[in-house]
């Protein structure tokens, strides 16, 4: 998913609070010096743009889907294993983008055993993979493998964005395998006019898109995301970068974020078609009418404890898509947590480490006894 | 048609006049003339013709008339024995040539092929003039256009020409007429300040012309051995034109609010600079205003159903062109040893079905034999691989 409004845009970090008169010559001089310093920053040995640096091991692979287990840092594990299901759009290392703001590291430090699904990069051979293949095939096999390895009878499933929607479907179909369900910025009710993706998707000829393209290219998706806010995402963001190019830390994090934003796998055609048609266009999931293969997803089957986290300024998954999800499930232990941030801010903002990660880990540990 | 001269008249001329001023064989009754007398009327006619030349659309006909009359009146050479027949042949040939020219002049002077009636007139004139020419040239009896074989032929030809004209005016003329409108629209578009409406009108006129003429032909089914590729090329071309149209409409939709936003921004930014103080803080205000104004205005537009509709139309046109274009490429690749996407898609489909079947069988075996170590990996391509220790690899390509 693309970046939303972030603190990266706008005025330079540490800009003076004085009100000097605008002198063009001085400003040009300052600007040139900043660019020269910027070149030093970009060529410096301190330039660190590595992502996903938390140690992990590959524990399972099926076709292009892989499961990684992060190496625990605490001897005593506090919870049954946590399996994280990220979206097919973009990559799961958003949760481990920069070491000092890594959701994964935070959870490990709390003694949580973390597994994560890497859906991989679909190629043309994958164009016929369906929604059923993802839910009943890959996700189910991932759950089984984690249970087998850990010896647990149930696991904690954490779903993020579209991966959250998959987790909701899976939990409704296989509640017996899920101890707790956490949904983060997860769309479940797609019928809203508050999100551009929701509005634009209604008019898509999904059959024609897939018929023509096979898999839906990641760049095609990116164009749609950038179009949602072109002035911020195509212009302002890079002006912000230029104004802060002499700040090593800013540059490191900016480049990491750029790496993630445009690391966009293609979407397996058949699955994408069904997801857009049944969720965005017909809104079947919230109505308990969605079919996965020959099974109907009934949200009332979700009876395990549920924590639903959403971002108040999320322009990709507006709060209206997430907020009311828990009203439709069968659980009695259900909690909603909203935070004043955006879709990505949930994972990389300062608030993430201070408020969101603690809330998540505490909730999980509390329900793991 | 000149009348054949008599030997007597020729003899008189030979006696009394210089060779270059011999009496005309026609019209002057054989009266001798001196050179001055002969030249005067010639210059008179020439002057008359030249007067009409610059502006008169009938100049061509006047030229013909002048030549004809001058030939008749002044250009009969003194005939000697043995020359008479030769001269007569040359004179007849010249006369025929002039008559043919007259037919052409009549046609070109009368035909205004902008209307069907004009085409019909042209044909009638052609037939009538040719009747005269043929009869004189070949000595054939004057054909009866009202009956007989030639009459039938000419009538058939006339109808055929009418039919063709009708087709032309129904199918090609709208496009040609439209080009006239396009020229006007283009002139308007280039005049004065930039105006999206003018651009829109220009493009709408162009598309209308395309749809009413060329677009129709591209949809005609092809026949024969090259039918398939021709059909695909036509569809691809048609899809490309429509894609260009959709992109143009889409740009128009973006252009209008862009222009409004610039105007709004100009008004607001003037307020910032009103006190004449230019500080860094003011520049920041100015920049923020720019981004915020555009962001807000376009967001409001993006969420309208109308924008959703134009987005859909544009995407559809784009996909349609892409599909048709690929179809042409695939058709061309058929004769090469290169596999096409459609062919490989069939293979992918087969592989997908086979893999799915294997996985089902694998589960079935696992359930029956209760062998937990028999995992999916061992049957689906990762056999023998140990789970690799991949520190720091999660999420990387």
């Amino acid at each position: 998913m693309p970046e939303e409004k972030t603190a990266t845009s706008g005025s330079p970090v540490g800009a003076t609070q004085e009100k000097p008169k605008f002198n063009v010559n001085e400003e040009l001089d300052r600007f040139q010096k900043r660019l020269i310093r910027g070149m030093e920053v970009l060529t410096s040995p301190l330039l660190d743009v590595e992502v996903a640096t938390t140690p992990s091991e590959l524990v399972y692979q099926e076709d292009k889907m892989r499961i990684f287990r992060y190496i625990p840092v605490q001897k005593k594990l506090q919870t049954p294993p946590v399996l994280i299901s990220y979206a097919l759009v973009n990559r799961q290392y958003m949760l481990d983008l920069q070491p000092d703001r890594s959701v994964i590291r935070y959870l490990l430090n709390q003694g949580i055993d973390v597994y994560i699904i890497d859906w991989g990069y679909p190629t043309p051979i994958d164009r016929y993979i369906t929604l059923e293949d993802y839910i009943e095939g890959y996700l189910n096999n991932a759950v089984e493998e984690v249970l087998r390895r850990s010896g647990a009878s149930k696991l904690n499933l954490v779903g993020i964005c579209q991966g959250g929607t998959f987790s909701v479907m899976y939990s409704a179909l296989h509640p017996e395998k899920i101890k707790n369900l956490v949904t983060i910025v997860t769309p479940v009710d797609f019928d809203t006019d508050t999100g551009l993706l929701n509005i634009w998707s209604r008019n898509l000829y999904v059959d024609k898109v897939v018929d023509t393209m096979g898999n839906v290219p990641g760049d095609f998706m990116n164009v749609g995301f950038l179009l949602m806010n072109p002035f911020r995402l195509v212009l302002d963001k890079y002006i912000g970068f230029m104004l802060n190019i002499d700040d090593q830390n800013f540059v490191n994090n900016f480049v990491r974020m750029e790496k993630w934003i445009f690391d966009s796998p293609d979407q397996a055609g058949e699955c994408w078609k069904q997801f857009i048609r049944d969720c965005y266009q017909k809104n079947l999931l919230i109505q308990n009418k969605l079919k996965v293969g020959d099974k109907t997803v009934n949200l009332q089957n979700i009876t395990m404890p549920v924590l639903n986290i959403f971002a108040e300024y999320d322009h990709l998954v507006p709060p209206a898509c997430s907020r009311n999800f828990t009203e439709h499930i069968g659980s009695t232990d259900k909690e909603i947590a909203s935070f004043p941030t955006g879709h990505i801010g949930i994972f990389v903002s300062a608030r993430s480490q201070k408020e969101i990660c603690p809330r998540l880990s505490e909730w999980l540990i509390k329900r793991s006894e | 048609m000149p009348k054949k001269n008599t030997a007597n008249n020729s003899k008189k001329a030979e006696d009394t006049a210089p060779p270059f001023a011999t009496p005309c064989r026609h019209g002057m009754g054989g009266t001798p003339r001196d050179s001055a007398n002969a030249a005067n009327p010639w210059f008179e006619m020439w002057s008359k013709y030249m007067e009409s030349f610059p502006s008169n659309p009938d100049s061509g006909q006047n030229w013909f008339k002048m030549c004809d009359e001058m030939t008749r009146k002044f250009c009969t050479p003194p005939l000697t024995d043995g020359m008479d027949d030769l001269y007569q042949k040359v004179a007849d040939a010249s006369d025929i040539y002039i008559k043919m020219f007259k037919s052409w002049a009549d046609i070109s002077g009368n035909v205004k092929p902008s209307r069907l009636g004009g085409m019909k007139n042209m044909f009638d004139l052609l037939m009538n003039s040719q009747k005269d020419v043929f009869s004189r040239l070949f000595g054939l009896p004057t054909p009866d256009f009202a009956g007989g074989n030639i009459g039938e032929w000419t009538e058939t030809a006339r109808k055929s020409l009418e039919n063709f004209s009708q087709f032309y005016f129904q199918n090609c003329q709208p496009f040609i007429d439209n080009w006239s409108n396009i020229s006007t629209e283009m002139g308007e578009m280039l005049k004065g300040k930039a105006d999206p409406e003018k651009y829109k009108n220009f493009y709408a006129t162009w598309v209308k012309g395309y749809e009413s003429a060329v677009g129709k032909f591209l949809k005609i089914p092809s026949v024969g051995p090259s039918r398939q590729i021709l059909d695909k090329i036509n569809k691809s071309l048609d899809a490309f034109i429509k894609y260009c149209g959709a992109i143009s409409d889409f740009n128009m939709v973006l252009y209008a609010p862009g222009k409004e936003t610039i105007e709004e921004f100009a008004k607001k930014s003037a307020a910032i600079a009103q006190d004449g103080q230019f500080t860094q803080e003011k520049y920041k205000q100015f920049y923020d205003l720019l981004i915020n104004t555009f962001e807000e205005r376009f967001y409001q537009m993006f969420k309208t159903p109308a924008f959703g509709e134009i987005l859909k139309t544009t995407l559809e046109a784009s996909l349609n062109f892409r599909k048709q274009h690929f179809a042409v490429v695939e058709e061309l690749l058929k004769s090469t040893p290169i596999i096409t996407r459609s062919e490989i898609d069939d293979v992918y489909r087969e592989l997908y079905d086979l893999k799915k079947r294997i996985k089902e069988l694998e589960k079935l075996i696992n359930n029956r034999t209760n062998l937990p170590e028999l995992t999916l990996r061992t049957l689906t391509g990762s056999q023998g691989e140990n789970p690799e220790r991949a520190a720091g690899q999660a999420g990387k390509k």
Side-chain angles (χ1 to χ4, degrees):
Chain A
M1 287 286 186
E3 188 182 15
E4 80 277 23
K5 287 183 204 177
T6 68
T8 60
S9 59
S11 60
V13 170
T16 177
Q17 294 304 307
E18 295 171 12
K19 294 182 181 177
K21 284 215 167 184
F22 190 73
N23 183 312
V24 174
N25 289 334
E26 283 177 13
E27 180 59 25
L28 282 175
D29 180 54
R30 197 162 34 240
F31 182 68
Q32 281 179 342
K33 283 176 180 163
R34 185 182 291 142
L35 288 183
I36 291 166
R37 169 74 188 128
M39 290 311 294
E40 289 171 12
V41 167
L42 287 168
T43 54
S44 157
L46 296 174
L47 184 74
D48 176 14
V49 295
E50 277 293 294
V51 294
T53 53
T54 305
S56 63
E57 62 179 345
L58 178 68
V59 296
Y60 179 77
Q61 180 161 9
E62 180 184 349
D63 301 333
K64 292 188 174 69
M65 186 269 275
R66 297 184 297 175
I67 301 173
F68 289 89
R69 184 191 187 204
Y70 288 98
I71 310 299
V73 295
Q74 304 290 344
K75 284 187 179 173
K76 188 183 176 194
L77 298 177
Q78 301 293 326
T79 65
V82 167
L83 176 64
I84 299 175
S85 163
Y86 197 77
L88 301 176
V89 185
N90 287 105
R91 308 276 294 154
Q92 75 285 353
Y93 60 80
M94 164 49 62
L95 280 82
D96 191 25
L97 196 64
Q98 58 190 78
D100 57 334
R101 289 187 180 175
S102 165
V103 174
I104 300 294
R105 282 177 194 260
Y106 188 95
L107 295 177
L108 291 176
N109 288 335
Q110 303 309 306
I112 294 174
D113 189 15
V114 183
Y115 292 79
I116 198 163
I117 298 174
D118 172 359
W119 298 111
Y121 295 85
T123 58
I125 198 171
D126 302 310
R127 71 169 288 186
Y128 297 103
I129 294 175
T130 61
L131 184 63
E132 182 192 13
D133 294 324
Y134 273 109
I135 306 295
E136 292 289 63
Y138 298 129
L139 183 53
N140 183 56
N141 295 336
V143 169
E144 299 258 315
E145 178 64 17
V146 172
L147 290 176
R148 189 184 70 79
R149 287 180 64 88
S150 65
S153 58
K154 290 184 177 184
L155 57 70
N156 295 314
L157 187 57
V158 175
I160 294 164
C161 192
Q162 184 191 28
T165 314
F166 282 11
S167 302
V168 167
M169 294 174 191
Y170 185 79
S171 300
L173 294 170
H174 303 279
E176 72 284 356
K177 296 177 187 172
I178 308 301
K179 184 162 183 63
N180 300 297
L181 171 65
V182 179
T183 53
I184 304 177
V185 290
T186 293
V188 179
D189 183 355
F190 294 81
D191 187 17
T192 174
D193 283 336
T194 55
L196 291 179
L197 288 183
N198 300 75
I199 295 170
W200 294 348
S201 298
R202 283 177 203 148
N203 291 310
L204 272 180
Y205 287 117
V206 287
D207 288 319
K208 187 166 264 183
V209 172
V210 174
D211 188 34
T212 308
M213 295 179 172
N215 286 341
V216 181
D219 285 342
F220 173 84
M221 308 284 285
N222 279 334
V223 168
F225 294 137
L226 292 176
L227 189 60
M228 294 174 75
N229 198 344
F231 301 99
R232 294 277 174 207
L233 301 177
V234 180
L235 177 67
D236 182 53
K237 187 173 73 170
Y238 297 103
I239 287 177
F241 174 65
M242 190 187 67
L243 293 175
N244 293 287
I245 199 168
D246 51 349
D247 179 334
Q248 185 76 61
N249 197 40
F250 180 93
V251 169
N252 285 350
N253 291 333
F254 184 92
V255 175
R256 284 191 189 110
M257 181 63 82
E258 282 291 289
K259 203 174 194 176
W260 176 80
I261 288 172
F262 296 107
D263 186 358
S264 314
D266 294 348
Q267 302 297 296
E270 282 302 313
C271 177
W272 182 86
K273 185 163 75 177
Q274 193 184 347
F275 189 76
I276 299 293
R277 190 184 56 215
D278 291 354
C279 293
Y280 277 94
Q281 295 182 341
K282 296 182 178 173
N283 197 25
L284 296 179
L285 181 58
I286 199 76
Q287 303 173 61
N288 295 326
K289 291 179 182 171
L290 184 90
K291 288 258 186 188
V292 174
D294 55 357
K295 296 178 186 168
T296 303
V297 177
N298 184 352
L299 297 181
Q300 283 295 316
N301 292 340
I302 297 177
T303 51
M304 70 291 297
V306 173
L307 171 63
N308 180 26
I309 296 174
F310 64 90
E312 290 164 19
Y313 308 132
D314 192 337
H315 70 300
L316 294 165
V317 179
C321 292
S322 315
R323 191 187 290 122
N324 301 327
F325 152 58
T326 49
E327 292 173 15
H328 298 267
I329 60 178
S331 311
T332 50
D333 179 2
K334 47 193 177 185
E335 215 173 294
I336 296 174
S338 72
F339 294 92
T341 184
H343 193 76
I344 308 304
I346 286 277
F347 309 104
V348 296
S349 66
R351 190 185 298 277
S352 174
Q353 294 291 305
K354 285 179 189 163
E355 298 177 31
I356 302 167
C357 291
R359 180 78 176 264
L360 171 62
S361 61
E362 283 165 20
W363 188 89
L364 283 171
I365 291 168
K366 194 175 169 186
R367 283 161 182 77
S368 298
E369 293 159 358
Chain B
M1 189 70 180
K3 303 286 183 191
K4 196 170 182 177
N5 212 353
T6 62
N8 287 340
N9 287 340
S10 299
K11 190 67 181 171
K12 279 183 193 171
E14 191 181 24
D15 292 341
T16 58
F20 61 85
T22 54
C24 184
R25 299 162 69 215
H26 314 287
M28 298 300 288
T31 308
R33 301 222 171 197
D34 60 29
S35 58
N37 287 342
N40 281 341
W42 193 93
F43 281 119
E44 223 171 86
M45 291 172 71
W46 175 255
S47 304
K48 197 174 165 186
Y49 166 71
M50 288 305 287
E51 277 171 18
S52 69
F53 190 79
S55 57
N56 193 338
D58 296 329
S59 299
Q61 291 194 55
N62 289 346
W63 168 257
F64 161 73
K65 283 175 189 167
M66 181 194 75
C67 292
D68 188 36
E69 285 174 30
M70 282 171 43
T71 306
R72 286 169 194 276
K73 289 178 182 174
F74 309 118
C75 300
T76 304
L79 295 176
T80 56
D81 291 341
M83 294 283 289
D84 190 62
D85 285 347
L86 177 63
Y87 174 76
Q88 193 59 45
K89 286 187 173 78
V90 172
D92 288 350
S94 165
D95 200 46
I96 288 167
Y97 179 81
I98 289 169
K99 288 282 183 195
M100 286 175 74
F101 181 82
K102 185 174 185 305
S103 339
W104 173 249
D106 287 346
I107 291 163
S108 62
N110 284 284
V111 168
K112 292 180 177 56
S114 59
R115 293 288 178 270
L116 183 58
M119 296 294 284
K120 188 181 173 187
N121 289 343
M122 182 176 88
F123 184 80
D124 288 345
L125 281 165
L126 182 69
M127 285 299 107
N128 288 330
S129 64
Q130 293 309 302
K131 165 190 160 185
D132 190 40
V133 170
F134 276 99
S135 66
R136 289 170 190 275
L137 190 59
F138 301 112
L140 294 169
T142 303
D144 179 6
F145 276 73
N149 288 337
I150 293 178
E152 281 173 18
W153 177 80
T154 52
E155 182 60 15
T156 305
R158 189 181 66 77
K159 283 183 177 171
S160 171
L161 191 59
E162 268 188 19
N163 290 338
F164 176 77
S165 303
Q166 199 172 0
F167 167 81
Y168 174 83
F169 289 118
Q170 280 177 359
N171 294 287
C172 303
Q173 192 64 31
F175 192 60
I176 292 164
D177 287 347
N178 213 55
W179 271 108
S180 155
N181 297 334
I182 286 168
S183 305
T184 310
E185 301 286 0
M186 186 181 274
E188 287 297 316
M189 189 175 73
L190 297 174
K191 259 196 265 175
K193 292 179 181 173
D195 183 350
E197 278 304 311
K198 289 177 184 172
Y199 175 76
K200 189 179 176 184
N201 291 342
F202 165 76
Y203 190 75
T205 308
W206 194 94
V207 170
K208 194 177 154 195
Y210 168 80
E211 292 283 355
S212 63
V214 182
K216 288 198 286 189
F217 296 116
L218 291 180
K219 294 188 178 70
I220 295 172
S222 306
V223 293
S226 306
R227 177 179 57 79
Q228 283 188 329
I229 184 69
L230 287 174
D231 260 351
K232 285 173 182 171
I233 289 171
N234 285 346
K235 280 181 183 171
S236 174
L237 188 57
D238 188 53
F240 176 69
I241 298 284
K242 286 177 178 161
Y243 166 68
C244 293
I247 287 288
S248 172
D249 286 346
F250 186 72
N251 288 339
M252 268 299 302
V253 168
L254 295 178
Y255 184 93
K259 186 168 166 276
E260 288 166 19
T261 313
I262 287 170
E263 287 165 1
E264 186 187 337
F265 168 69
K267 281 181 198 166
K268 289 181 181 173
S269 59
I272 294 176
Q274 212 166 18
D275 61 3
Q277 299 289 314
F278 295 97
T279 60
Q280 280 191 332
E281 189 186 58
K282 283 233 168 147
Y283 176 72
K284 181 71 172 57
Q285 280 178 24
F286 177 83
Y287 174 79
D288 288 345
L289 177 68
L290 176 79
I291 295 293
N292 292 337
T293 310
F294 272 94
E295 183 182 32
E296 177 59 22
R297 178 66 182 84
F298 274 83
Y299 177 70
Q300 292 305 327
M301 184 191 69
F302 286 160
K303 60 181 195 177
T304 60
F307 183 79
E309 192 61 34
I310 194 80
L311 198 61
K312 177 187 83 172
T313 310
T314 310
L315 179 61
E316 191 190 8
S318 159
L319 291 170
N320 201 33
F321 169 54
R322 189 181 161 116
K323 190 175 178 181
Q324 302 299 346
H325 173 64
F326 285 175
V328 172
V329 174
E330 285 211 351
E331 192 68 33
L332 294 173
L333 285 175
K334 271 185 183 174
S335 57
T336 70
I338 298 170
I339 195 162
T340 65
R341 206 188 83 172
S342 300
E343 289 162 345
I344 200 78
D345 270 350
D346 290 342
V347 178
Y348 291 154
R349 180 81 225 183
E350 286 293 321
L351 281 174
Y352 169 79
D353 290 339
L354 284 170
K355 277 169 79 175
K356 195 161 188 170
R357 183 69 183 139
I358 289 170
K359 287 178 184 181
E360 285 166 3
L361 292 170
E362 184 181 57
K363 278 202 169 181
L364 201 64
I365 293 167
N366 278 339
N367 290 340
R368 290 195 176 174
T369 57
N370 197 22
L371 291 172
E373 66 275 14
L374 187 60
T375 66
L376 292 166
R377 273 172 291 129
T378 60
L379 290 177
T380 56
S382 299
Q383 191 167 9
E385 282 183 15
N386 291 320
E388 120 195 32
R389 182 114 181 147
Q393 292 303 302
K396 293 183 181 176
K397 285 185 190 180

